[in-house]
Amino acid sequence: MAVEGAVDDGTADEGPADESVPLYTAVSQRGDPRAAARELADALCHPELGFVLFFCSAEYPLAALSEALNAAFAGVPVAGCTTAGEIAPEGYGRGCIVAIGLDRRHFAVSCALVDDLGGFDLMRAQRLVDGLLDDCRDRALAPLAEHSFALTLLDGLSSCEEQVLATLDAALGRIPSFGGSAGDDNRLAHTHVHAEGRFHGQAAVVVLINTRLPFEVFTTHHLRPRGEKLVVTRADRERRRVLELNALPAAEEYARLVGLPVAALGAAVFARHPLAVRLGEAYFVRAIQRVNDDGSLSFYCAVENGIVLTAMRPAPLLEDLEAVFDGLTERLGDPALIIACDCFLRRLELETLERVDAASRLMARSRVIGFNSYGEQHHGMHINQTFTGVAIGSRPAAGDS
């Protein structure tokens, strides 16, 4: 099923699209790549379509899906990634593909691929950002530094996020950024990003978006600190693996903290009993990926010897999210769209609590489109267990039209 129009229900397939509708959205549940791409194109294509952003289940045959998208959106740049679940116009989806069509009259978009994450240093980051800015400058709709944001999509199993994001953030300067790590439907085997007409592993996509419309890049989580602390006393930084906590085997010490046997540890437990690093007054979650055969714990974010991890407890997730949406609406007006990267552990928590339907209703009301990620990015930081994104207003602010 396709859904057209992020602001109203106008059709987009005949004649110029309604200029008051800056973004159109679509979703397809079809498993055949050509049928899915055609359904998306039927909803999104119009003469002013300038860019397509998509998020898809890793269940699709990716090479065939690339070919189908290239054919369906011929001449229009397309970027996206695989997911650990999708956020469609009706809320949480699974096994589908969701897409956003950006109208060139409202958005100037440039896109670049990073295909060597390990070698992505500050010099390469500056060249990439300069190229994005130069490409966008001729089509810019408003001053670039004040009216642009960057979206980053990274291979969720690369272990290079911290290095890439830090260097990219330094090169972007005042331009805010957010993003998410690609998923693979919780298999933790192969994740992919899409750019330049095909899917790539061990890569990243950077999308620079310039617009006159008001926007706000944001992040939130619903986790609150407990009193207990765990010190990383032995770690393999390169593999993001903690071998000892408080000088004891890591899995055993974590199991003691949560009051469960090691054999009971899994994604649902990690979602409900996260650990975090404190920086100033803020807490940044370091989510656990799995227990290894040697009793160590693998993490989704960087870990190293000597860091202190604080045990966290979940507060009501939907109350926190609704408050964030209310604040965004108060500042921007009713959003045209919220593009979101929602950690898959948050979705797992909602599934455990049987609150998925309520979350879907809340996100549908707030016009959220996005995906469940293996990690999120916010202003150059790699973070976990957050809801991170950009809210885009429907109309330019006074004086910006």
Side-chain angles (χ1 to χ4, degrees), residues 220-393:
T220 187
H221 67 73
H222 64 301
L223 304 168
R224 306 293 180 262
R226 291 165 43 178
E228 302 94 330
K229 307 288 185 183
L230 299 174
V231 180
V232 176
T233 48
R234 187 173 166 224
D236 180 343
R237 182 181 181 185
E238 294 301 316
R239 293 193 293 170
R240 294 178 173 172
R241 184 174 288 190
V242 172
L243 290 83
E244 291 183 358
L245 291 168
N246 295 342
L248 295 170
E252 292 181 15
E253 183 66 353
Y254 176 80
R256 182 197 61 77
L257 173 74
V258 301
L260 293 170
V262 171
L265 300 182
V269 175
F270 302 148
R272 295 288 292 168
H273 301 280
L275 304 173
V277 173
R278 180 177 176 176
L279 298 177
E281 297 302 314
Y283 290 86
F284 297 92
V285 175
R286 293 291 180 261
I288 300 171
Q289 185 182 106
R290 62 176 174 267
V291 178
N292 301 303
D293 292 339
D294 62 358
S296 64
L297 297 172
S298 290
F299 282 70
Y300 282 101
C301 272
V303 287
E304 56 189 59
N305 287 328
I307 64 171
V308 178
L309 298 171
T310 299
M312 306 291 282
R313 58 177 177 82
L317 189 156
L318 295 186
E319 289 182 15
D320 173 80
L321 195 56
E322 187 167 21
V324 169
F325 291 159
D326 288 345
L328 291 168
T329 299
E330 188 175 314
R331 293 186 292 275
L332 300 176
D334 289 333
L337 200 67
I338 295 175
I339 304 173
C341 307
D342 181 29
C343 183
F344 84 103
L345 291 172
R346 291 168 54 92
R347 178 166 178 166
L348 184 57
E349 179 181 340
L350 290 167
E351 290 172 351
T352 301
L353 298 174
E354 298 183 347
R355 298 285 285 162
V356 169
D357 289 345
S360 291
R361 290 192 294 271
L362 174 60
M363 289 190 288
R365 287 200 308 270
S366 302
R367 297 170 177 154
V368 177
I369 294 288
F371 72 105
N372 294 116
S373 53
Y374 281 172
E376 300 76 58
Q377 299 119 36
H378 185 249
H379 292 301
M381 292 191 65
H382 183 213
I383 51 183
N384 292 144
Q385 224 154 329
T386 73
F387 187 97
T388 298
V390 63
I392 302 172

Side-chain angles (χ1 to χ4, degrees), residues 42-96:
D42 286 345
L44 300 181
C45 283
H46 61 80
E48 301 300 334
L49 179 64
F51 190 84
V52 174
L53 179 67
F54 76 90
F55 311 110
C56 72
S57 167
E59 295 175 5
Y60 282 97
L62 298 184
L65 181 59
S66 287
E67 292 180 6
L69 291 171
N70 294 339
F73 295 103
V76 177
V78 178
C81 69
T82 56
T83 76
E86 301 77 52
I87 306 174
E90 301 91 348
Y92 281 131
R94 184 78 73 183
C96 63

Side-chain angles (χ1 to χ4, degrees), residues 194-235:
H194 183 280
E196 298 182 356
R198 67 183 183 90
F199 283 93
H200 307 260
Q202 292 293 313
V205 175
V206 184
V207 184
L208 181 69
I209 300 175
N210 173 260
T211 181
R212 286 189 299 266
L213 296 173
F215 64 84
E216 183 176 329
V217 170
F218 68 93
T219 187
T220 187
H221 67 73
H222 64 301
L223 304 168
R224 306 293 180 262
R226 291 165 43 178
E228 302 94 330
K229 307 288 185 183
L230 299 174
V231 180
V232 176
T233 48
R234 187 173 166 224

